Amino acid sequence: MQTELAKKLGIEFPIFAFTHCRDVVVAVSKAGGFGVLGAVGFTPEQLETELTWIDENIGDLPYGVDIVIPGKYEGMGEDDATKLEQELKDLIPEQHRKFANELLESHGVPEIPDAEKMQELLGWTEATAGPQVQVALSHPKVKLLANALGTPPPDVIEEIHASGRLVAALCGAASQAVRHANAGVDIVIAQGTEGGGHTGDVGSMVLWPEVIDALGDTPMLAAGGIGTGRQMAAALAMGAQGVWTGSLWLTVEEADVPPAQMKTLLDAGSRDTVRSRSWTGKPCRMLRNDWTEAWEAEGNPDPLGMPMQFMVTSNAVQRGHKYPEQAKDVNFNPVGQIVGRMNKMRPTRDVIFDMVSECIDATERMHNLMNQNAEV
Amino acid sequence: MQTELAKKLGIEFPIFAFTHCRDVVVAVSKAGGFGVLGAVGFTPEQLETELTWIDENIGDLPYGVDIVIPGKYEGMGEDDATKLEQELKDLIPEQHRKFANELLESHGVPEIPDAEKMQELLGWTEATAGPQVQVALSHPKVKLLANALGTPPPDVIEEIHASGRLVAALCGAASQAVRHANAGVDIVIAQGTEGGGHTGDVGSMVLWPEVIDALGDTPMLAAGGIGTGRQMAAALAMGAQGVWTGSLWLTVEEADVPPAQMKTLLDAGSRDTVRSRSWTGKPCRMLRNDWTEAWEAEGNPDPLGMPMQFMVTSNAVQRGHKYPEQAKDVNFNPVGQIVGRMNKMRPTRDVIFDMVSECIDATERMHNLMNQNAEV
């Protein structure tokens, strides 16, 4: 099942796995897929450590890095970012911070010690993303850089291409896909509304063929709702060059997810997610919980836009990471509707092999269905 | 590509077409698919006229009828319905009626003459649906009765089965599919959030395999987002026994859609729909327009529940039908996200044949992809 893109990247199966966990990156690539490390939240130094570890464990296999460069901060230096951060801070109503804090307090989630508090805009400016790109490009096994938010700036695309890598970018609409391709992006990842994290409202079934047709020769990876080989077969049947999966890797044995959060994920059904602006300010699919409900409820503050809402909530994100047990009902759990199928922890290798085998079976079944009359 | 279900119904292609237009029913069945007439809005007498016309024009081919029997009105007689209607009427805030009326007035949509005004609960009680079932069962070429809203009552299922027909019912969640199957429903239609009309929030990509696995031997038709052969191939690859399509038939040449509404449909993109409670009280996918926006806007009345919101808006529906030109920005346009692909009027026959041919091509492409290594 090697698509053209899989051949180009030298991988056996066109299964791309987005994950924040280096162990999963290695396990996916070793099983014949393509692991992609999400870099957001890592300092350049931390990212260097992660990639070095991956290099040491992945053998000669390729992998990718996913970085967030919001278009509107393009070309912004560190000083500008600090200035902007202060300006934005001044615009945040005090009641929003108070409301967020009270939500956590009412659930008994402790405060983060001052010394450990992270910068509120971390990962959302080129001041952070730029050095991350440099780190990624210094690791020869990194064969793909993906941007999760918008078209990467022209100089970034140029630099990645000059180093012999491919550039990918996510989209939720055909018009955005075309903008990516026109800017020189090599691979467009089209994510339907089913997907976890920031996502649009057009379903995968409609979005994928629309994007494929709009792109022409630029390859598309299908994202949003894929967790089985049948779904992979469906995506390939529609013309995708591969599948981009994320949620699926939260519940593999190699994943570094705290027990309380793992249980929440394993227990959730496909109807337990919601597209909510309550964490980042942009519609983002996540598990519904006390936090998302509270920001929805009438009379409570409406979520601000991006990046202001994330400045309000970044402290809560950090508290959720540090105290997952206490925060289990007010934690940030970005995940897609496929969470309903993630009911037990499995080794990454088994997930990949089952997908491949089911995809082959589905194709065979289809082929027989189409050719039964000819055989009679 | 005859699935087991297609064989059972004696049709060539497992393409089921829901439509309110008898010409489309005939054209679909004649092209090898299975036309299904939506009966809601027809009196028993009108339905009798429609089915007689279909019988006279469809030759020996089978077709279906779709009827709305809301579970909660089960077993309600005509007197009870009238009483309930009055009770519900008393509960409707005057401001809702006023708001609806003002919206139409501000767009210059004339009033309906009193003599032509339809009953507000029309089609939503067994008092209407019961006789519709009887009419349908008196037409031998009707081979399938579908219920668009919930599990049909046991006596209705029994009567349809006793007459040798199949019963289908729509669902938007696996648990609902299982309830249908346990009640004796023969075919479950699982509609993803992409679909037009009343629809849940789980995307087709996630919903279909979930329902298929939950159902076991009961066949599932895939609905929500299907308009091309590639999407049909995707649905069949995931294990659907066929596809259930609705939106697609609004823009065929045989469709009886007024020019103003047709233009709105042909111009709309996949991002121009919204799941709104503003017409029926339940989340229903339709084109976004001044009406849906107004009911969303802060400060305006919130839509009531079902059936009360529909009692508020049924007059507006009727005015939209009668004056489509004036009502073009405040009309009820239930349609799925596939509307983005419906860009020109085409003959029904071409739509079916293109779907079939593209579905075969997609399967062939998949088959080659899976077997390329073996061939080398």
Side-chain angles (χ1 to χ4, degrees):
Chain A
M1 61 175 67
Q2 262 199 326
T3 57
E4 288 306 312
L5 180 62
K7 281 180 197 157
K8 203 167 177 179
L9 284 166
I11 56 174
E12 206 170 345
F13 312 123
I15 302 173
F16 294 74
F18 170 85
T19 170
H20 287 286
C21 177
R22 62 190 189 184
D23 304 78
V24 178
V25 172
V26 168
V28 166
S29 287
K30 282 196 166 172
F34 191 88
V36 180
L37 187 76
V40 75
F42 291 126
T43 63
E45 295 71 30
Q46 287 168 331
L47 184 61
E48 174 61 38
T49 306
E50 302 297 299
L51 301 190
T52 302
W53 186 92
I54 293 173
D55 286 344
E56 285 166 2
N57 288 276
I58 206 166
D60 290 330
L61 298 165
Y63 67 101
V65 175
D66 183 280
I67 289 169
V68 177
I69 316 176
K72 50 182 158 182
Y73 301 132
E74 272 172 40
M76 184 180 283
E78 201 160 345
D79 288 352
D80 301 325
T82 309
K83 184 156 163 273
L84 173 70
E85 188 178 338
Q86 191 50 54
E87 284 168 8
L88 290 172
K89 265 187 185 164
D90 296 343
L91 288 173
I92 295 172
E94 189 47 37
Q95 60 157 341
H96 280 71
R97 293 192 186 279
K98 196 162 160 278
F99 180 66
N101 191 49
E102 281 170 2
L103 261 172
L104 266 62
E105 268 185 5
S106 68
H107 284 76
V109 185
E111 264 289 2
I112 298 280
D114 277 348
E116 293 177 30
K117 276 187 185 157
M118 69 179 191
Q119 197 192 328
E120 285 181 338
L121 267 175
L122 184 76
W124 300 87
T125 68
E126 202 179 330
T128 310
Q132 285 184 335
V133 171
Q134 297 315 316
V135 170
L137 293 184
S138 72
H139 291 259
K141 295 174 196 173
V142 172
K143 299 295 183 197
L144 171 77
L145 270 87
N147 187 23
L149 208 68
T151 307
D155 56 323
V156 176
I157 294 182
E158 213 169 291
E159 192 177 3
I160 299 172
H161 280 166
S163 76
R165 274 94 165 178
L166 298 179
V167 181
L170 263 97
C171 81
S175 54
Q176 208 181 357
V178 171
R179 278 201 301 279
H180 287 337
N182 289 344
V185 166
D186 305 289
I187 303 165
V188 172
I189 303 154
Q191 174 167 302
T193 192
E194 292 91 333
H198 292 123
T199 201
D201 71 349
V202 179
S204 291
M205 189 52 51
V206 170
L207 180 69
W208 297 340
E210 202 168 281
V211 169
I212 288 166
D213 291 352
L215 282 176
D217 290 337
T218 304
M220 187 204 80
L221 295 177
I226 297 175
T228 68
R230 279 174 290 170
Q231 291 158 325
M232 181 175 170
L236 295 176
M238 286 196 272
Q241 283 278 314
V243 295
W244 177 272
T245 52
S247 304
L248 211 48
W249 314 106
L250 292 169
T251 55
V252 290
E253 288 178 1
E254 292 86 348
D256 181 23
V257 171
Q261 203 160 6
M262 182 64 80
K263 184 175 178 339
T264 311
L265 288 165
L266 294 174
D267 289 350
S270 57
R271 300 173 85 188
D272 294 333
T273 73
V274 63
R275 264 176 89 228
S276 166
R277 292 178 46 242
S278 64
W279 283 101
T280 71
K282 277 201 174 193
C284 179
R285 190 172 296 284
M286 59 190 72
L287 291 183
R288 192 186 294 108
N289 62 15
D290 291 351
W291 176 280
T292 62
E293 297 280 290
W295 285 93
E296 278 288 314
E298 219 158 328
N300 289 344
D302 284 330
L304 305 169
M306 177 183 274
M308 283 159 66
Q309 181 68 10
F310 189 68
M311 293 172 71
V312 169
T313 65
S314 63
N315 173 258
V317 171
Q318 215 189 343
R319 285 161 78 177
H321 277 166
K322 198 172 168 76
Y323 308 106
E325 184 62 47
Q326 294 92 324
K328 69 183 165 47
D329 298 322
V330 284
N331 217 340
F332 182 31
N333 284 308
V335 72
Q337 294 178 335
I338 196 66
V339 71
R341 205 171 267 278
M342 293 152 45
N343 300 322
K344 65 173 182 194
M345 288 177 68
R346 299 165 65 207
T348 295
R349 192 186 160 87
D350 288 6
V351 175
I352 298 262
F353 286 4
D354 283 358
M355 277 185 79
V356 169
S357 142
E358 195 180 296
C359 180
I360 292 169
D361 289 349
T363 306
E364 200 52 26
R365 187 162 36 75
M366 276 292 282
H367 183 71
N368 292 340
L369 181 64
M370 295 297 149
N371 291 282
Q372 57 182 347
N373 298 340
E375 284 161 16
V376 172
Chain B
M1 61 175 68
Q2 262 198 325
T3 57
E4 288 307 311
L5 180 62
K7 282 179 197 156
K8 202 165 176 178
L9 284 166
I11 55 174
E12 206 170 344
F13 311 124
I15 301 173
F16 294 74
F18 170 86
T19 171
H20 287 285
C21 177
R22 62 190 189 185
D23 304 78
V24 178
V25 171
V26 168
V28 167
S29 287
K30 282 197 165 170
F34 191 88
V36 180
L37 187 75
V40 75
F42 291 126
T43 63
E45 296 70 30
Q46 287 169 332
L47 185 60
E48 175 60 37
T49 307
E50 301 297 298
L51 301 191
T52 301
W53 187 91
I54 292 173
D55 287 344
E56 285 166 2
N57 288 277
I58 206 166
D60 290 330
L61 298 165
Y63 67 101
V65 175
D66 183 280
I67 288 169
V68 177
I69 316 175
K72 51 183 161 181
Y73 302 131
E74 271 172 40
M76 185 180 284
E78 200 159 346
D79 288 351
D80 301 325
T82 309
K83 186 158 163 270
L84 173 71
E85 188 178 338
Q86 191 52 54
E87 283 169 8
L88 291 172
K89 263 186 186 164
D90 295 343
L91 289 173
I92 295 172
E94 189 47 38
Q95 61 158 339
H96 281 72
R97 293 192 185 279
K98 195 163 161 275
F99 180 66
N101 192 48
E102 281 170 3
L103 261 172
L104 266 62
E105 267 184 5
S106 68
H107 284 76
V109 185
E111 264 290 0
I112 298 280
D114 276 347
E116 292 178 30
K117 276 187 187 158
M118 67 179 191
Q119 197 192 329
E120 285 181 340
L121 267 175
L122 184 75
W124 300 86
T125 69
E126 202 179 328
T128 310
Q132 286 184 336
V133 172
Q134 298 313 317
V135 170
L137 293 184
S138 72
H139 291 260
K141 294 174 196 172
V142 171
K143 299 295 183 198
L144 171 78
L145 270 88
N147 188 22
L149 208 67
T151 308
D155 56 322
V156 176
I157 294 182
E158 212 169 293
E159 193 178 4
I160 299 171
H161 280 166
S163 77
R165 272 93 165 180
L166 298 179
V167 181
L170 263 97
C171 82
S175 54
Q176 208 181 356
V178 170
R179 277 202 301 280
H180 288 337
N182 289 344
V185 166
D186 305 290
I187 303 164
V188 172
I189 303 154
Q191 175 167 302
T193 192
E194 293 91 333
H198 291 124
T199 201
D201 71 348
V202 179
S204 291
M205 189 51 52
V206 170
L207 181 69
W208 298 340
E210 201 167 281
V211 169
I212 288 166
D213 291 352
L215 283 176
D217 290 337
T218 304
M220 187 204 81
L221 295 177
I226 297 175
T228 68
R230 279 173 290 169
Q231 291 158 326
M232 181 176 171
L236 296 176
M238 287 196 271
Q241 283 278 314
V243 297
W244 178 272
T245 52
S247 305
L248 210 50
W249 314 107
L250 292 169
T251 54
V252 290
E253 288 178 0
E254 292 85 350
D256 180 24
V257 171
Q261 203 160 7
M262 182 63 81
K263 184 175 178 338
T264 311
L265 288 165
L266 295 174
D267 289 350
S270 58
R271 301 172 85 186
D272 294 333
T273 74
V274 63
R275 263 175 90 229
S276 166
R277 293 178 47 243
S278 64
W279 283 100
T280 71
K282 276 201 175 195
C284 180
R285 189 172 296 285
M286 59 190 71
L287 291 183
R288 191 186 295 108
N289 62 14
D290 291 352
W291 175 280
T292 62
E293 298 279 290
W295 285 93
E296 279 287 314
E298 219 158 329
N300 289 344
D302 284 329
L304 304 169
M306 177 183 273
M308 283 159 67
Q309 181 68 11
F310 189 68
M311 293 172 72
V312 169
T313 64
S314 64
N315 172 259
V317 171
Q318 216 190 342
R319 284 160 79 177
H321 278 166
K322 198 172 167 78
Y323 308 107
E325 184 62 48
Q326 294 91 325
K328 68 183 166 48
D329 298 322
V330 284
N331 218 339
F332 182 31
N333 283 308
V335 72
Q337 293 179 335
I338 197 67
V339 71
R341 204 171 268 278
M342 293 153 45
N343 299 323
K344 64 174 181 193
M345 288 177 70
R346 300 166 63 206
T348 295
R349 191 187 161 87
D350 289 5
V351 174
I352 298 262
F353 286 4
D354 283 357
M355 277 185 80
V356 169
S357 140
E358 195 180 295
C359 180
I360 292 169
D361 289 350
T363 306
E364 201 51 27
R365 188 162 35 75
M366 276 291 282
H367 183 72
N368 292 339
L369 180 63
M370 295 298 150
N371 292 281
Q372 57 182 349
N373 298 340
E375 284 162 15
V376 171

